[in-house]
Amino acid sequence: QVQLVESGGGSVQAGGSLRLTCAAPGYGSSTDRVGWFRQVPGKEREAVASIYMNGRSTDYADSARGRFTISQDNAKNTVYLQMSNLKTEDTGMYYCAARRLGYGGAWNKAGDYQYWGQGTQVTVSS
């Protein structure tokens, strides 16, 4: 069982920055993709960004492209989401998710990820 732990959420004013951290043991050995998802009350979890196979490729939602950067530290089995120029609509619970090695599927489909963290709250105020 892969246990993911997120950290780095908090409250920030619009235009500010936050860096989220996901401790992802087994990334690259038992899992091949890590993604960040955002959820607000009453809405489905939506993909924000994802990184595949130790940085070989990255994907971003249109809302995140140009402002967010996903990266990883192989030595620490950690994936980061650097968020800049934050907007109020970025507010939500952010979840780190990992996909089992070889599972396949779409980078932005929550159902294709088997392992999830508990989430970290991001609140952006105007």
Side-chain angles (χ1 to χ4, degrees), residues 6-12 18-20 36-41 83 86 88-96 118-125:
E6 305 99 332
S7 62
S11 296
V12 65
L18 283 174
R19 187 177 78 160
L20 305 185
W36 284 98
F37 288 76
R38 175 176 62 229
Q39 189 168 29
V40 298
M83 305 187 294
L86 283 161
T88 55
E89 52 263 44
D90 295 320
T91 293
M93 184 69 78
Y94 281 71
Y95 295 91
C96 175
Q118 294 300 306
T120 185
Q121 177 69 34
V122 171
T123 303
V124 184
S125 59

Side-chain angles (χ1 to χ4, degrees), residues 15-44:
S17 300
L18 283 174
R19 187 177 78 160
L20 305 185
T21 299
C22 174
Y27 175 52
S29 59
S30 59
T31 61
D32 63 7
R33 181 180 284 280
V34 172
W36 284 98
F37 288 76
R38 175 176 62 229
Q39 189 168 29
V40 298
K43 293 189 177 182
E44 292 187 356

Side-chain angles (χ1 to χ4, degrees), residues 42-92:
K43 293 189 177 182
E44 292 187 356
R45 206 166 285 190
E46 62 176 352
V48 175
S50 182
I51 190 165
Y52 176 71
M53 286 299 284
N54 290 330
R56 290 182 187 178
S57 69
T58 56
D59 297 276
Y60 296 93
D62 289 342
S63 62
R65 191 173 292 111
R67 299 186 300 123
F68 294 4
T69 302
I70 190 169
S71 62
Q72 41 123 79
D73 183 328
N74 288 340
K76 297 181 180 180
N77 281 340
T78 300
V79 174
Y80 304 100
L81 183 68
Q82 177 68 46
M83 305 187 294
S84 302
N85 191 21
L86 283 161
K87 303 177 181 180
T88 55
E89 52 263 44
D90 295 320
T91 293

